[in-house]
């Protein structure tokens, strides 16, 4: 009877532990010479604990994913690349055949620097060289998924900083129904959220317990953001036909504010421009803006923006 050959042993994969990661974590937030000056292990551990406490909850969750969760590699990739997050987590996998890889890659890379501006606003006033980049406008033809991309960017930015307050403006408030459903379903039903960003997953019981704002008129408030005091929700929705007073948002997303109706008359075009100017006057001056739309008239909002630029 022939002898059975033993199966080849699988190569062992060394598990990354917090003890091996935390010194690296400390080096990312404090000078190396400070770490070397620590006289003993207890002092070094105190420095590491202080560095951990200084990080945002989103960054802490990212390190936890890298050291404990099997989905850490995916989270790291999505955290650092908006294009990968858009194509793998947000984009409808059943419609990948409609994905225009080159166009969507360029659009994702075009809006990605806004995340750096949002991070710098948390530290202090923006330097003059970055003031010119707070408005990122992309004007393309219809059916290019531009509105979907800018909505996905709002979620991607929120996954980096749960304290962000984002306003989505469309031509009419009723057109925000689709945006509201798409965003809420992502946080409630998406497998990506449940597995890769579990702290952002929202269930009906969590909504009732935390009394989260969860409506088109009230906005969308996530459980990870309830510790931040603000009168605005994480996502709020408005239209050209609604009032926009008293808003203090960190990011403005204008998704197709010009439609086939308000572009036809001089009154309609002027109203859109006046609403945009009013919005810019009541939100923080350095709040970044992302504008996505299809030009429909030489004197519409997009033409006006080209003229003042």
């Amino acid at each position: 009877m022939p002898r059975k050959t033993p199966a080849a042993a699988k190569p062992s994969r060394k598990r990354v532990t917090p003890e091996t990661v935390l010194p690296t974590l400390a080096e990312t937030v404090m000078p190396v010479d400070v770490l070397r000056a620590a006289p003993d292990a207890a002092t070094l551990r105190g420095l590491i604990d202080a560095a951990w406490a200084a990080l945002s909850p989103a960054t802490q969750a990212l390190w936890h994913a890298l050291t404990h969760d099997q989905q850490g590699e995916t989270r790291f990739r999505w955290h650092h690349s908006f294009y990968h997050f858009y194509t793998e987590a947000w984009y409808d996998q059943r419609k990948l055949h409609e994905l225009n890889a080159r166009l969507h890659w360029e659009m994702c890379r075009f809006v990605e620097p806004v995340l750096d501006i949002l991070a710098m606003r948390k530290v202090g006033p923006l330097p003059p060289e970055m003031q010119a980049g707070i408005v990122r406008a992309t004007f393309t033809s219809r059916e290019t998924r531009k509105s979907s991309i800018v909505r996905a960017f709002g979620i991607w930015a929120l996954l980096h900083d749960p304290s962000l307050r984002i306003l989505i403006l469309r031509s009419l408030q009723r057109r925000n129904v689709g945006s509201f459903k798409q965003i809420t379903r992502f946080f409630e039903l998406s497998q990506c959220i449940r597995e890769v960003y579990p702290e952002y997953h929202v269930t009906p019981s969590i909504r009732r317990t935390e009394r989260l704002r969860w409506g088109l008129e009230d906005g969308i408030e996530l459980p990870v953001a309830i510790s931040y005091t603000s009168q605005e929700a994480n996502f709020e929705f408005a239209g050209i036909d609604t009032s926009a007073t008293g808003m203090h948002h960190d990011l403005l997303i204008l998704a197709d504010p010009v439609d086939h109706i308000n572009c036809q008359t001089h009154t309609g075009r002027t109203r859109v421009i006046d609403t945009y100017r009013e919005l810019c006057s009541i939100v923080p001056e350095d709040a970044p803006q992302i504008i996505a739309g299809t030009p429909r008239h030489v004197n519409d909002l997009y033409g006006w923006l080209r003229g003042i630029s």
Side-chain angles (χ1 to χ4, degrees):
M1 182 175 180
R3 297 177 59 186
K4 296 177 66 176
T5 57
K10 294 184 179 180
S12 61
R13 184 176 179 180
K14 186 178 180 181
R15 186 176 181 82
V16 180
T17 62
E19 287 71 20
T20 61
V21 173
L22 282 175
T24 308
L25 170 66
E27 291 174 12
T28 63
V29 294
M30 61 178 58
V32 177
D33 54 351
V34 175
L35 295 175
R36 290 174 179 171
D40 51 29
T43 305
L44 176 61
R45 185 69 194 189
L47 291 172
I48 293 174
D49 292 340
W52 177 261
L55 297 176
S56 67
T59 307
Q60 292 182 9
L62 173 63
W63 277 101
H64 179 78
L66 289 175
T67 56
H68 295 82
D69 299 345
Q70 296 180 353
Q71 302 293 334
E73 183 179 351
T74 302
R75 181 162 179 158
F76 188 81
R77 183 172 67 253
W78 292 352
H79 196 81
H80 289 276
S81 171
F82 174 48
Y83 178 77
H84 285 96
F85 171 79
Y86 174 72
T87 55
E88 298 173 16
W90 174 262
Y91 200 86
D92 190 343
Q93 298 297 310
R94 294 169 299 178
K95 299 181 179 179
L96 278 179
H97 63 280
E98 301 177 9
L99 181 70
N100 187 327
R102 179 60 184 272
L103 174 63
H104 292 166
W105 162 262
E106 293 179 354
M107 293 176 68
C108 290
R109 296 288 291 176
F110 179 72
V111 299
E112 201 172 76
V114 175
L115 185 68
D116 298 328
I117 298 176
L118 290 170
M120 293 191 68
R121 288 183 72 246
K122 295 290 183 179
V123 179
L126 292 178
E129 60 270 16
M130 296 195 69
Q131 288 283 352
I134 64 173
V135 179
R136 310 289 288 183
T138 172
F139 308 132
T140 57
S141 60
R142 299 181 69 243
E143 305 300 332
T144 54
R145 306 284 179 181
K146 56 187 178 301
S147 296
S148 176
I149 288 177
V150 295
R151 284 196 297 269
F153 178 83
I155 291 180
W156 187 67
L158 197 62
L159 295 177
H160 286 76
D161 185 358
S163 68
L164 288 179
R165 305 303 185 214
I166 302 171
L167 174 66
I168 298 181
L169 178 73
R170 302 209 64 180
S171 57
L172 296 172
Q173 176 69 331
R174 60 182 176 82
R175 296 188 186 276
N176 277 316
V177 174
S179 302
F180 170 77
K181 290 182 178 180
Q182 191 177 22
I183 294 173
T184 53
R185 286 172 181 171
F186 182 78
F187 287 111
E188 290 178 324
L189 306 175
S190 172
Q191 184 179 357
C192 304
I193 285 291
R194 291 197 303 268
E195 295 182 356
V196 185
Y197 293 93
E199 70 275 19
Y200 284 85
H201 184 220
V202 180
T203 62
S205 61
I206 291 177
R207 285 165 47 191
R208 289 191 299 268
T209 305
E210 304 293 348
R211 297 182 180 179
L212 300 177
R213 285 175 278 184
W214 204 261
L216 182 61
E217 301 297 332
D218 298 331
I220 300 173
E221 186 178 24
L222 299 177
V224 293
I226 58 177
S227 59
Y228 301 97
T229 343
S230 177
Q231 62 183 16
E232 287 87 15
N234 290 117
F235 280 100
E236 291 195 348
F237 305 90
I240 301 299
D241 56 337
T242 60
S243 175
T245 57
M247 296 182 176
H248 306 85
H249 295 91
D250 302 300
L251 173 62
L252 305 180
I253 295 178
L254 281 71
D256 287 317
V258 178
D259 61 16
H260 65 285
I261 297 177
N262 61 32
C263 72
Q264 292 181 1
T265 63
H266 175 74
T267 303
R269 295 190 295 269
T270 304
R271 183 180 181 184
V272 175
I273 295 174
D274 290 343
T275 302
Y276 173 75
R277 296 174 66 177
E278 177 190 4
L279 191 64
C280 292
S281 67
I282 61 178
V283 299
E285 185 178 2
D286 59 345
Q289 304 173 23
I290 300 178
I291 306 173
T294 301
R296 298 176 182 272
H297 192 277
V298 67
N299 293 324
D300 61 10
L301 173 65
Y302 312 134
W304 180 80
L305 287 171
R306 289 194 185 99
I308 66 173
S309 63

